[in-house]
Amino acid sequence: MGRAFEYRKATKLKRWGHMAKTFTRLGKQIAIAVQAGGPEPENNPTLRSVIATCKRENMPKDNIERAIKNAMGKDKSSYKGVTYEGYGPHGIAIFVDTLTDNTTRTVADVRSVFNKFSGTLGTTGSLAFLFDHKCIFTFKAKADMDMDDFLLEMIDYNVDEDMDIDEEEGTITLYGDPKSYSAIQKHLEEMGFEEIGGDFTYIPNDLKEVTAEQRETIDKMVERLEEFDDVQTVYTNMKPEEE
């Protein structure tokens, strides 16, 4: 298993919270995709990708259709992605990905949590050196695939050599340059892969050890951040707890 996969697997529940919050997160992604490219998945690659992710997260079809309809309504909100970064307790680096229609509200919410836990909210880009920003795609594998040939072809699209295969789920997960997101998605679709769910992620390049007591404090801070509807994902460079 690759470093990125192991980090995501170990921290997924901590970062994404409970099911209801996941649906809220995906609903906002649907809204942005619809507002940018229209409500028809066949004509909107970004929406196709988000819907595939929704299905993988077991979001009901009615919820997906309702989110698309709401994004087309008269009272639709205009969301934009904003990332906040800083240091939490014990020198742990924290990235907070948000989708918001009110940055004044969102930054106040995020800052209040950093202050409560004696952290420091930094400027955009101040912690970029601690994380690798990647686009990520998960899709159904084909029968009898030659993974070596597949990898050689995908490297031309700025995809990492470190690729993860989940035999139990029958899926492949690959990581690449965020700037190549559209090109990677288009090529995967042209190759006939199905249920191509795309997203972006931050992967820490240097995990930091913490004590059990320190982990408890940081987990509480992450959970408090996740309570805000604007917060999509929280990333840290804290080493995942071994099972």
Side-chain angles (χ1 to χ4, degrees):
M1 294 294 182
R3 172 174 61 92
F5 179 81
E6 288 299 327
Y7 177 75
R8 279 182 70 89
K9 180 180 178 182
T11 59
K12 180 177 180 180
L13 293 179
K14 287 294 183 184
R15 292 186 290 112
W16 282 10
H18 53 75
M19 189 67 72
K21 182 60 184 292
T22 300
F23 292 170
T24 300
R25 170 183 184 268
L26 292 171
K28 288 186 176 182
Q29 291 186 8
I30 288 174
I32 290 177
V34 169
Q35 291 162 20
E40 302 297 334
E42 59 270 26
N43 299 321
N44 187 337
T46 302
L47 182 58
R48 284 200 301 273
S49 180
V50 176
I51 289 175
T53 301
C54 290
K55 290 179 179 178
R56 196 168 60 251
E57 293 294 336
N58 298 314
M59 187 174 181
K61 182 179 179 181
D62 288 347
N63 291 45
I64 297 172
E65 293 176 348
R66 185 163 52 250
I68 293 174
K69 184 177 180 180
N70 289 342
M72 298 167 58
K74 294 180 181 179
D75 298 327
K76 64 184 180 182
S77 297
S78 181
Y79 294 109
K80 66 176 181 177
V82 182
T83 300
Y84 301 95
E85 50 201 276
Y87 284 100
H90 316 296
I92 293 297
I94 298 177
F95 259 69
V96 185
D97 256 354
T98 71
L99 283 178
T100 178
D101 57 358
N102 186 328
T103 55
T104 301
R105 177 193 65 223
T106 305
V107 71
D109 288 341
V110 171
R111 182 179 286 114
S112 70
V113 177
F114 272 83
N115 290 341
K116 181 177 180 180
F117 286 86
S118 301
T120 304
L121 193 60
T123 57
T124 301
S126 60
L127 300 185
F129 68 98
L130 292 174
F131 292 81
D132 295 328
H133 189 202
K134 299 288 184 180
C135 64
I136 176 172
F137 289 92
T138 299
F139 48 92
K140 290 290 184 181
K142 295 180 181 179
D144 302 322
M145 281 183 62
D146 186 318
M147 292 305 299
D148 289 336
D149 288 346
F150 174 66
L151 178 58
L152 284 174
E153 183 166 357
M154 293 309 301
I155 286 177
D156 291 338
Y157 291 83
N158 298 316
V159 168
D160 295 353
E161 293 185 23
D162 191 10
M163 194 176 300
D164 303 304
I165 302 172
D166 189 327
E167 295 182 359
E168 187 174 324
E169 295 291 333
T171 60
I172 298 172
T173 298
L174 56 81
Y175 305 83
D177 186 336
K179 296 178 182 178
S180 299
Y181 181 98
S182 296
I184 295 170
Q185 180 188 4
K186 181 179 179 181
H187 189 64
L188 289 172
E189 289 181 342
E190 289 175 345
M191 294 177 73
F193 288 101
E194 300 178 354
E195 299 181 27
I196 304 169
D199 205 344
F200 295 91
T201 189
Y202 287 91
I203 303 170
N205 54 45
D206 185 21
L207 295 172
K208 188 169 182 178
E209 295 271 7
V210 294
T211 66
E213 184 178 0
Q214 290 171 340
R215 182 182 302 279
E216 183 177 358
T217 300
I218 297 160
D219 282 346
K220 286 180 179 178
M221 181 178 179
V222 171
E223 289 166 4
R224 181 69 188 90
L225 286 165
E226 288 179 334
E227 290 176 5
F228 298 120
D229 286 340
D230 293 338
V231 172
Q232 299 292 285
T233 315
V234 180
Y235 305 91
T236 80
N237 68 340
M238 176 174 66
K239 186 175 182 178
E241 188 173 15
E242 295 182 3
E243 296 182 358

